[in-house]
Amino acid sequence: MSGSPAVVMRLVASAYTVAEKAGAIVRKVLHSGELGIVEKTGANDLQTLADRLAQQSICASLYRRFPKITIIGEEDLPAEEIKEDLIENGHSEEILQKTCPAEYSGLKEEELVVWVDPLDGTKEYTEASRLLHHPTGALTPHKGSDTSQLHSTALWLLDNVTVLIGIAYEGKAIAGVINQPFYNYQLGSGAELGRTMWGMPGLGAFGFTLKEAPGDRRIITTTRSHSNKVVTECVDAMEPHEVIKVGGAGNKIIQLVEGRASAYVFASLGCKKWDTCAPEAILTAVGGKLTDMHGNAYRYDANVKHMNSAGVLATLRNHEYYVSRVPQSVRQALKTD
Ligand code: AMP
Ligand code: MG
Ligand code: MG
């Protein structure tokens, strides 16, 4: 490669290590058992110390290197001095070696908007913590006991958790980084936990093996903790062969690109731009699509409304088919604004 790397490639390369650091923070807070849970709009909309520290780490680290970018993070935090040990200065050399798609090679820092969800799947994270720090001591499981069962459930819940950093230009999601802090939990204690996936439409997606769900089955992935009547009605209208209820928007996109689900269907408001920007970039990079329930794209400009009011429909293939199955009643309930 000749010349210095494009700004956007440098930003993605930094976001990669910054997401890894955030993932390490998420693991550390879980292990401490001191989650510092705060209810935001209600009991199903939580913030923990991990959400706060991870966002501080991500924003401060990226601003230090790229002072002119716009960053929009999920958590509303007071402006305060960030501890130096939260700053990540590294970058992924492998990403810097990639050739930037020509259309993005001249982008300037001030043109880029970064959407940050420091911890996606907070509800599942808190539930897992409760199980792990259960008085019977699920952190150290004994085979065959109830405690072992609790431990497995907790670890499964933790796999729903991701750190999301999405990069947008002119309203489009052009790059995304997803860190999954507890990936590899099945390997047991001693295994190195976590993985980082990233992608850029026009360049590709990395950090996982792309797999399509079986073409002859409709496997729908949807929320496990934010359901309602319309959400269920819409899933049913897809005539699914199987429904997988898991937490997190990032996690559901992982289900799509790893062939465990054919469509992510969430016919409700609740998901925000920081939930969908990074996942959309990675999904689009492998030929998938993320829209509202009407099949319309969301925009990620700095001044857009944060709420994805018309729901989320994401697929790797056959997007139009799923859009066509959305019932009129659901379309009415979720108006595009
Ligand atoms: P879920 O699929 O329920 O894990 O939701 C995916 C993302 O959207 C998570 O970040 C949730 O916090 C968010 N979300 C979805 N529905 C709601 C809701 N009703 N209230 C708050 N956040 C929500
Ligand atoms: Mg989220
Ligand atoms: Mg979050």
Side-chain angles (χ1 to χ4, degrees):
M1 202 186 65
S2 61
S4 58
V7 169
V8 69
M9 297 313 291
R10 287 202 293 112
L11 179 56
V12 179
S14 290
Y16 185 98
T17 45
V18 163
E20 282 184 329
K21 164 93 173 177
I25 293 170
V26 169
R27 284 190 296 269
K28 193 171 169 191
V29 172
L30 178 89
H31 214 78
S32 78
E34 303 290 331
L35 261 56
I37 299 171
V38 172
E39 284 191 14
K40 296 196 284 187
T41 60
N44 281 336
D45 192 11
L46 306 174
Q47 182 196 75
T48 71
L49 178 63
D51 299 68
R52 296 187 283 276
L53 291 179
Q55 179 162 311
Q56 286 180 327
S57 171
I58 295 167
C59 295
S61 302
L62 292 180
Y63 271 138
R64 191 170 286 191
R65 282 236 174 135
F66 306 93
K68 295 186 196 148
I69 55 176
T70 300
I71 307 182
I72 304 171
E74 171 172 8
E75 311 307 336
D76 226 346
L77 302 174
E80 57 180 288
E81 201 63 34
I82 305 300
K83 290 207 187 74
E84 201 53 35
D85 65 354
L86 287 177
I87 302 291
E88 169 61 46
N89 291 310
H91 64 263
S92 156
E93 199 50 47
E94 199 181 315
I95 296 179
L96 282 191
Q97 297 304 322
K98 302 267 185 204
T99 304
C100 183
E103 58 193 308
Y104 305 135
S105 61
L107 303 190
K108 300 191 192 77
E109 252 182 74
E110 52 270 39
E111 295 174 316
L112 301 171
V113 181
V114 181
W115 292 91
V116 174
D117 186 342
L119 197 171
D120 181 48
T122 301
K123 181 82 169 101
E124 284 71 24
Y125 181 72
T126 59
E127 285 181 38
S129 173
R130 210 173 309 124
L131 292 177
L132 286 172
H133 298 281
H134 191 268
T136 53
L139 262 180
T140 47
H142 309 286
K143 276 213 164 59
S145 67
D146 288 351
T147 315
S148 171
Q149 184 56 43
L150 281 181
H151 191 257
S152 316
T153 308
L155 294 180
W156 178 85
L157 286 167
L158 287 174
D159 217 28
N160 293 195
V161 169
T162 57
V163 174
L164 307 174
I165 306 180
I167 299 168
Y169 165 68
E170 288 191 335
K172 289 205 176 62
I174 64 160
V177 176
I178 300 182
N179 179 275
Q180 194 176 20
F182 300 97
Y183 179 73
N184 259 349
Y185 72 87
Q186 295 94 334
L187 301 184
S189 59
E192 197 178 323
L193 293 181
R195 66 166 163 175
T196 308
M197 310 160 71
W198 70 280
M200 242 180 129
L203 180 58
F206 309 88
F208 63 98
T209 304
L210 179 66
K211 191 176 165 200
E212 285 187 32
D216 58 347
R217 286 170 63 76
R218 286 179 297 281
I219 308 170
I220 308 296
T221 183
T222 191
T223 183
R224 72 174 276 281
S225 57
H226 298 101
S227 198
N228 61 45
K229 201 167 144 280
V230 179
V231 167
T232 315
E233 188 185 329
C234 194
V235 168
D236 292 346
M238 303 293 167
E239 297 185 356
H241 295 92
E242 189 183 339
V243 178
I244 307 175
K245 294 182 180 175
V246 291
N251 181 41
K252 284 192 263 297
I253 294 305
I254 297 175
Q255 308 275 324
L256 294 180
V257 298
E258 294 194 322
R260 287 189 291 281
S262 353
Y264 167 14
V265 179
F266 183 59
S268 169
L269 48 75
C271 257
K272 327 285 188 315
K273 296 292 179 301
W274 44 76
D275 289 306
T276 49
C277 186
E280 180 173 342
I282 292 179
L283 184 62
T284 314
V286 292
K289 218 167 165 182
L290 186 150
T291 66
D292 67 14
M293 300 312 294
H294 305 270
N296 298 320
Y298 280 115
R299 290 191 62 95
Y300 298 94
D301 310 84
N303 59 358
V304 293
K305 213 180 61 173
H306 294 164
M307 184 67 82
N308 291 331
S309 305
V312 176
L313 179 58
T315 57
L316 184 59
R317 303 281 177 259
N318 305 325
H319 199 77
E320 294 318 314
Y321 170 80
Y322 290 96
V323 173
S324 76
R325 309 254 358 160
V326 176
Q328 194 54 31
S329 55
V330 172
R331 296 173 69 90
Q332 290 268 311
L334 296 172
K335 288 255 161 53
T336 311
D337 45 29

